[in-house]
Amino acid sequence: MGPDKHAVRPGGRGILATAVTVVCAVTVLAAPGTAFAAPSPTPSPSASASASAGASATLPPDKDLEAVREKLDDLYHDAAVATDAYNAAEEAAQKQSAEIVGLAKKIVKGQQQLDELKERAGRAAAAQYRTGGLPDSAQLILSDNPTQFLDGAGRVLQGQRATKALLRELTRTQQDLKQYAADAADQWNRLEAGRKAKAAAKKKIKQRIAAAEKLESTLEKKQKERLAELEREAAYKAQTAWLGTGILDEIHTKASAAGKKAVAFATAQLGKPYVWGAEGPDSYDCSGLTSQAWASAGKPIPRTSEEQWKQLKHIDVEDMRPGDLVIYYDDASHVAMYIGDGAIIQAPRPGRTVSIGGAGSMPILGVVRPDA
């Protein structure tokens, strides 16, 4: 979107007023762990002097901590991408397992049908043996009873039709069984490939999270506090820039009935921990939260953020309403739920809890609407 399209109009809400409105709204809704309001101001020289001089001296330059923050962002982003792959593999495995069970039932039923058809063919062969091995047509020719001849002619025709039908059914059942077996083998191969993909994704998730935690563990308390400030400042800067486009002046749509239910569900999860692969009720990952919120509203949606982006209806940012899903990053690796006034509810990343943030605090790929 171009800057002219969303420039703040004279007489309209200014950037500062808009930001204050959003911050106030979020303050009302916020739970522990929320980082959406403006970062704390830099302490004055007098305040700094009263702090421990030794502690402040141990802090590295902000540019060094900023490099740490960016590295952590990269690691957690990689973990998020792998989490989406893991969730997709898990969802596919459930479908493939159900397909295999369904095919197994068809194979059992088909085998029973085949056995029954073979038994019918055996009975027909036994009946022919009892009549001396002569086919019905030969017996008909040898008959000198007109009535018996006419009755026999009808039986011959019926017998021929029944024999042809039996052979067709035998052939079709055998073909079906062969196809069921081939389909089952294909699903098994897919399931095995998915199992390997799932295992690889799980390994990558653990590696990236472990690397991030190891990096964070090297920081001292004051460094961690300053790093948290830098994270809040980065999110605030991005949110302020997003609000500065005047976007809120164009967003006026109210939530649908289903959207209100989805938002209510997501809001009730505030404070619960992020756990990759989790769909509740005690913990969530980003798409686990959004998919469960909409399921509670009676509208099942895809499990992963990537599939939510692919399958749900795309909405212009200016038209989004509470309950819509905001998809982030070029690879659609993160998703949050818009709740109005420029704010979102999200399950951010490992080590964090479900919380409220600014919709523009991360790079927006687009918006989708589950109940379009």
Side-chain angles (χ1 to χ4, degrees), residues 239-278:
Q239 174 73 356
T240 301
W242 184 67
L243 292 175
T245 64
I247 188 67
L248 287 192
D249 292 339
E250 301 190 22
I251 301 177
H252 302 293
T253 312
K254 294 182 179 180
S256 64
K260 290 178 181 178
K261 291 179 181 178
V263 170
F265 178 94
T267 303
Q269 313 313 310
L270 286 169
K272 293 184 178 180
Y274 175 104
V275 174
W276 64 268

Side-chain angles (χ1 to χ4, degrees), residues 103-122:
L103 287 167
K105 290 179 179 178
K106 287 182 178 180
I107 290 172
V108 170
K109 184 178 180 180
Q111 189 61 56
Q112 291 172 344
Q113 185 178 2
L114 186 62
D115 292 342
E116 182 182 338
L117 291 170
K118 288 180 177 179
E119 185 179 349
R120 284 169 55 189

Side-chain angles (χ1 to χ4, degrees), residues 12-365:
R13 285 189 294 177
I15 296 174
L16 180 59
T18 301
V20 170
T21 300
V22 175
V23 171
C24 290
V26 171
T27 302
V28 173
L29 296 171
T34 300
F36 181 49
S40 302
T42 304
S44 63
S46 59
S48 299
S50 63
S52 170
S56 61
T58 62
L59 284 175
D62 276 0
K63 63 185 179 83
D64 293 338
L65 282 176
E66 181 63 22
V68 171
R69 186 189 70 79
E70 291 176 357
K71 179 62 177 177
L72 287 172
D73 282 350
D74 289 342
L75 289 170
Y76 283 123
H77 176 262
D78 286 350
V81 173
T83 297
D84 224 33
Y86 177 91
N87 291 334
E90 174 68 16
E91 188 174 34
Q94 292 175 358
K95 291 180 180 178
Q96 286 153 5
S97 296
E99 284 284 340
I100 290 171
V101 171
L103 287 167
K105 290 179 179 178
K106 287 182 178 180
I107 290 172
V108 170
K109 184 178 180 180
Q111 189 61 56
Q112 291 172 344
Q113 185 178 2
L114 186 62
D115 292 342
E116 182 182 338
L117 291 170
K118 288 180 177 179
E119 185 179 349
R120 284 169 55 189
R123 288 198 301 268
Q128 186 177 7
Y129 176 78
R130 286 194 298 271
T131 60
L134 291 174
D136 289 341
S137 57
Q139 293 181 42
L140 177 62
I141 292 171
L142 295 174
S143 174
D144 57 1
N145 184 318
T147 302
Q148 184 180 0
F149 180 88
L150 292 174
D151 290 342
R155 287 197 300 272
V156 168
L157 289 174
Q158 290 175 356
Q160 288 175 343
R161 290 170 183 164
T163 299
K164 289 180 181 179
L166 178 61
L167 289 174
R168 284 197 301 269
E169 195 168 358
L170 270 167
T171 301
R172 184 173 61 250
T173 302
Q174 289 173 329
Q175 290 174 342
D176 287 346
L177 282 170
K178 185 178 180 180
Q179 186 61 52
Y180 294 155
D183 290 347
D186 181 59
Q187 290 296 340
W188 274 113
N189 290 334
R190 290 171 181 264
L191 191 63
E192 177 62 15
R195 184 193 66 78
K196 292 178 180 178
K198 184 177 170 182
K202 182 176 181 179
K203 181 179 180 180
K204 184 175 181 180
I205 294 167
K206 290 188 172 183
Q207 286 177 339
R208 296 301 188 272
I209 293 177
E213 290 174 345
K214 182 177 180 180
L215 178 58
E216 289 178 312
S217 70
T218 63
L219 302 176
E220 297 177 359
K221 182 179 178 181
K222 288 291 184 182
Q223 293 173 325
K224 290 179 180 179
E225 291 174 353
R226 180 54 185 154
L227 179 64
E229 288 179 8
L230 290 175
E231 290 176 351
R232 288 193 293 271
E233 288 171 4
Y236 181 73
K237 182 178 179 181
Q239 174 73 356
T240 301
W242 184 67
L243 292 175
T245 64
I247 188 67
L248 287 192
D249 292 339
E250 301 190 22
I251 301 177
H252 302 293
T253 312
K254 294 182 179 180
S256 64
K260 290 178 181 178
K261 291 179 181 178
V263 170
F265 178 94
T267 303
Q269 313 313 310
L270 286 169
K272 293 184 178 180
Y274 175 104
V275 174
W276 64 268
E279 300 178 80
D282 300 321
S283 57
Y284 297 88
D285 62 19
C286 68
S287 57
L289 176 64
T290 54
S291 60
Q292 289 302 306
W294 272 101
S296 75
K299 180 69 176 179
I301 63 174
R303 168 66 176 88
T304 68
S305 57
E306 184 178 355
E307 289 304 312
Q308 289 170 6
W309 173 244
K310 286 181 180 178
Q311 297 185 35
L312 301 180
K313 183 176 176 60
H314 290 203
I315 299 296
D316 290 338
V317 176
E318 298 87 345
D319 297 327
M320 69 179 174
R321 65 191 186 194
D324 287 347
L325 306 182
V326 186
I327 310 294
Y328 293 96
Y329 304 107
D330 291 340
D331 51 12
S333 58
H334 187 65
V335 60
M337 179 177 291
Y338 185 66
I339 58 174
D341 289 326
I344 54 170
I345 287 181
Q346 62 172 333
R349 65 168 175 80
R352 301 290 171 82
T353 62
V354 176
S355 55
I356 293 173
S361 60
M362 297 167 284
I364 295 175
L365 175 61

